[in-house]
């Protein structure tokens, strides 16, 4: 039996090889996975032209996935340097990489990335449009925007961020409800500007059916972008954000009618006490579609530390239903991240995702922590290093300050609770001031 997309296959009762791989990775019954794919509650972004892909599932009941952003820009257009960052990200076993390239040899970088990456690849076609056509934003036609999306799909990208929810009606809500930070989404601001400059409807909204044609042909998952995501905690959960979310819910149903897989993108900057409610609102308004969040960043005062502000929000968001976390690095709001920034962002986001999986009782999520706790009780340093989320840093810290006694560290020495409780539980004496018997 033939099928067009993973959703189409699931609805026809077909178990694809991608479904089998994801089910095995997740320790999930493939029939349950198939049912949730058919309902749109899980997606498997897997472009038919991405031959090196090791598919992953995103959605209800699955491990929280993380994404890394990279790509070339006018100020930093070194393709080889970005490919080196991509290789490093893959070495950290990230599930997704988004190519946010906006200048120069974008197709060269994109095709090399797709060819080398077992992780799913995402893009934002509107970022590429100005450089692709060498035209000012105002002069790009609606057809040309769609053609860039088609090119990305042909190149093998697995999901595309499309800001189709910032239509004329959403824009009117934005104008009537003033914000401190306006529209902070790069793609959203470009589309809003195009609409204002041309007095036209958003081309991705007006020609949404043609966009769905492209996605259906290549099985590209639509990541419906949050043009009106809040860029400060002052603007969160406002009329613009909610209006756009309502539109995205309607667009989700239209995509599902064509068997096109959908994720919804979300905030943004947001105070901690609003995060859980926002997860519920998205799942309600967007019919259970997987939720992909940037952060949320829980305070605006920490440039240089936004991997931390984001990890706090990400852990809360994912434990309350978000399915996919976009990493944030210490360089957020400041510059293009370098390799060390990227590593810091990946580790922080992985911690947030894993903490959320524990809270969500994702099968097997607590086993890692259990094994680490066993190794700590045994003071098995090598085992602790092998289980650490960043073994290199753990080894470095230990090596920099070695204790007199191997069964302790320089924080506690012979007062180490683990060491002493092991001795007491074994009926042995504890000598803190003298050598052991």
């Amino acid at each position: 039996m033939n099928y067009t997309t993973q959703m189409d296959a699931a609805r026809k009762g077909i178990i694809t090889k991608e479904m089998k791989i994801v089910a095995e990775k997740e320790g999930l019954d493939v029939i349950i996975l198939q049912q949730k794919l058919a309902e749109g509650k899980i997606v498997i972004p897997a472009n038919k032209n991405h031959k090196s892909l090791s598919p992953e599932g995103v959605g209800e009941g699955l491990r929280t996935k993380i994404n890394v952003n990279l790509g070339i820009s006018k100020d930093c257009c070194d393709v080889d340097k970005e490919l080196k960052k991509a290789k490093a990200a893959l070495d950290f076993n990230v599930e997704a990489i988004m190519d946010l390239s906006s200048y120069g040899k974008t197709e060269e970088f994109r095709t090399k990335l797709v060819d080398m990456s077992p992780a799913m690849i995402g893009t934002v076609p509107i970022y590429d449009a100005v450089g692709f056509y060498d035209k000012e934003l105002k002069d790009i036609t609606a057809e040309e925007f769609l053609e860039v999306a088609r090119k990305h799909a042909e190149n093998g990208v697995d999901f595309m961020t499309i800001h189709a929810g910032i239509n004329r009606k959403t824009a009117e809500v934005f104008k009537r409800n003033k914000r401190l930070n306006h529209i902070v989404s790069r793609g959203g601001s470009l589309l809003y500007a195009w609409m204002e400059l041309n007095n036209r409807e958003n081309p991705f909204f007006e020609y949404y059916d043609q966009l769905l044609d492209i996605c259906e042909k290549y099985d590209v998952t639509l990541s419906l972008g949050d043009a009106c995501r809040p860029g400060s905690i002052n603007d969160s959960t406002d009329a613009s954000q909610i209006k756009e979310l309502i539109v995205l819910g309607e667009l989700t149903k239209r995509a599902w009618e064509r068997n096109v897989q959908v994720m919804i993108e979300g905030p943004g900057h947001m105070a901690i006490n609003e995060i859980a409610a926002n997860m519920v609102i998205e799942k309600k308004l967007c019919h259970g579609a997987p939720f992909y969040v940037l952060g949320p960043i829980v305070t605006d005062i920490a440039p240089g530390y936004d991997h931390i502000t984001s990890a706090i929000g990400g852990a809360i968001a994912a434990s309350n239903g978000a399915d996919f976390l976009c990493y944030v690095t210490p360089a957020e709001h400041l510059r293009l991240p370098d390799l060390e920034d990227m590593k810091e962002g990946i580790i922080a986001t992985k911690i947030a995702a894993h903490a959320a999986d524990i809270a969500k009782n994702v099968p097997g999520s607590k086993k890692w922590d259990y094994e680490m706790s066993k190794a700590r009780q045994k003071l098995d340093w090598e085992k602790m290093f092998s289980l650490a989320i960043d073994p290199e840093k753990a080894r470095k810290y230990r090596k920099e300050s070695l204790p007199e006694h191997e069964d302790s560290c320089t924080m506690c020495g012979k007062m180490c609770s683990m060491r002493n409780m092991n001795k007491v539980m074994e009926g042995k004496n504890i000598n803190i001031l003298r050598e052991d018997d």
Side-chain angles (χ1 to χ4, degrees):
M1 191 183 296
N2 294 325
Y3 63 90
T4 55
T5 68
Q6 294 293 322
M7 175 176 263
D8 184 37
R11 289 173 167 178
K12 289 176 176 175
I14 301 169
I15 304 294
T16 66
K17 67 179 187 297
E18 291 82 8
M19 293 180 204
K20 291 177 182 176
I21 292 168
V22 170
E24 184 175 350
K25 286 181 177 182
E26 299 284 344
L28 184 67
D29 186 325
V30 73
I31 299 300
I32 295 174
L33 178 71
Q34 176 208 350
Q35 290 170 347
K36 291 188 177 183
L37 265 168
E39 295 170 355
K41 293 179 179 178
I42 287 176
V43 296
I44 300 178
N47 188 309
K48 296 170 183 176
N49 289 343
H50 189 175
K51 305 303 182 186
S52 60
L53 178 69
S54 177
E56 296 283 355
V58 178
E60 187 177 279
L62 306 185
R63 287 180 298 106
T64 306
K65 306 307 187 296
I66 79 163
N67 170 73
V68 165
N69 290 337
L70 42 79
I72 53 176
S73 66
K74 189 168 185 178
D75 291 311
C76 301
C77 55
D78 189 328
V79 169
D80 291 336
K81 184 179 286 187
E82 289 305 293
L83 287 172
K84 184 177 179 181
K85 284 163 63 175
K87 176 66 167 58
L90 294 171
D91 289 342
F92 274 104
N93 298 312
V94 301
E95 290 88 9
I97 295 174
M98 283 202 78
D99 170 19
L100 306 187
S101 294
S102 59
Y103 179 82
K105 300 176 180 178
T106 56
E107 187 170 14
E108 176 189 336
F109 177 71
R110 185 167 56 250
T111 53
K112 285 182 177 180
L113 186 59
V114 169
D115 288 344
M116 71 182 279
S117 178
M120 51 187 163
I121 301 298
T123 60
V124 190
I126 191 169
Y127 290 0
D128 193 23
V130 173
F132 184 81
Y133 292 112
D134 193 24
K135 283 183 175 183
E136 286 300 331
L137 178 67
K138 179 180 183 295
D139 300 324
I140 299 174
T141 67
E143 293 75 16
E144 286 172 334
F145 280 126
L146 286 169
E147 189 54 37
V148 174
R150 187 186 310 280
K151 174 60 71 174
H152 285 213
E154 289 174 355
N155 291 156
V157 305
D158 303 294
F159 62 99
M160 293 191 295
T161 294
I162 303 291
H163 301 87
I166 179 73
N167 60 11
R168 297 296 289 271
K169 289 183 178 179
T170 307
E172 288 304 316
V173 171
F174 164 73
K175 291 174 186 177
R176 291 196 303 269
N177 296 270
K178 299 301 181 185
R179 281 180 154 188
L180 179 63
N181 291 108
H182 307 307
I183 294 176
V184 300
S185 157
R186 192 191 332 177
S189 65
L190 290 172
L191 278 168
Y192 178 82
W194 187 92
M195 292 161 63
E196 291 293 295
L197 291 168
N198 289 286
N199 194 28
R200 289 274 308 275
E201 180 58 276
N202 177 347
F204 291 116
F205 180 81
E206 185 174 0
Y207 299 103
Y208 190 63
D209 287 330
Q210 287 89 322
L211 178 67
L212 295 178
D213 290 339
I214 296 167
C215 293
E216 183 181 26
K217 181 177 179 180
Y218 296 96
D219 197 3
V220 174
T221 298
L222 265 183
S223 186
L224 289 173
D226 52 340
C228 294
R229 71 171 180 264
S232 66
I233 60 172
N234 184 81
D235 296 333
S236 60
T237 323
D238 69 349
S240 299
Q241 181 192 336
I242 301 304
K243 170 60 178 175
E244 182 183 34
L245 201 55
I246 292 169
V247 176
L248 297 184
E250 294 168 345
L251 294 175
T252 296
K253 292 171 88 171
R254 286 176 59 186
W256 286 349
E257 289 169 3
R258 297 284 301 277
N259 294 311
V260 171
Q261 302 184 92
V262 176
M263 298 186 291
I264 306 296
E265 294 187 11
H269 293 232
M270 181 167 287
I272 284 175
N273 60 304
E274 295 180 39
I275 295 173
N278 267 262
M279 302 306 107
V280 174
I281 291 168
E282 183 277 339
K283 292 287 183 175
K284 285 283 189 180
L285 293 179
C286 297
H287 322 293
F291 202 15
Y292 173 29
V293 298
L294 177 72
I297 290 172
V298 296
T299 177
D300 301 328
I301 63 163
Y305 297 91
D306 276 326
H307 59 312
I308 297 173
T309 64
S310 172
I312 293 168
I316 297 168
S319 64
N320 283 280
D323 307 288
F324 195 11
L325 302 180
C326 185
Y327 92 149
V328 172
T329 77
E332 184 78 5
H333 304 111
L334 300 171
R335 61 165 169 77
L336 192 75
D338 62 17
L339 264 172
E340 187 58 31
D341 297 326
M342 188 183 74
K343 177 183 174 181
E344 293 277 338
I346 289 171
I347 295 298
T349 310
K350 276 180 166 282
I351 292 168
H354 180 66
D357 288 347
I358 293 170
K360 288 190 287 190
N361 288 313
V362 172
S365 58
K366 293 181 181 178
K367 187 174 186 300
W368 188 359
D369 298 74
Y370 179 78
E371 293 300 323
M372 177 62 89
S373 295
K374 275 207 311 184
R376 281 184 172 147
Q377 189 62 56
K378 293 178 180 179
L379 295 167
D380 185 342
W381 298 100
E382 284 304 313
K383 185 68 172 178
M384 285 186 252
F385 296 149
S386 70
L387 289 166
I389 200 166
D390 183 358
E392 181 183 341
K393 188 169 188 177
R395 286 183 185 279
K396 175 176 176 287
Y397 273 41
R398 173 75 175 170
K399 188 176 180 180
E400 284 176 349
S401 185
L402 291 172
E404 180 182 0
H405 297 275
E406 178 64 23
D407 61 351
S408 65
C409 75
T410 54
M411 177 71 180
C412 298
K414 291 180 73 176
M415 290 187 181
C416 171
S417 60
M418 297 292 191
R419 171 188 182 276
N420 291 333
M421 284 304 298
N422 285 343
K423 287 181 176 290
V424 168
M425 298 298 283
E426 293 168 9
K428 295 180 180 178
N429 189 22
I430 298 172
N431 292 326
I432 296 175
L433 299 178
R434 299 176 302 280
E435 291 300 315
D436 292 340
D437 296 332

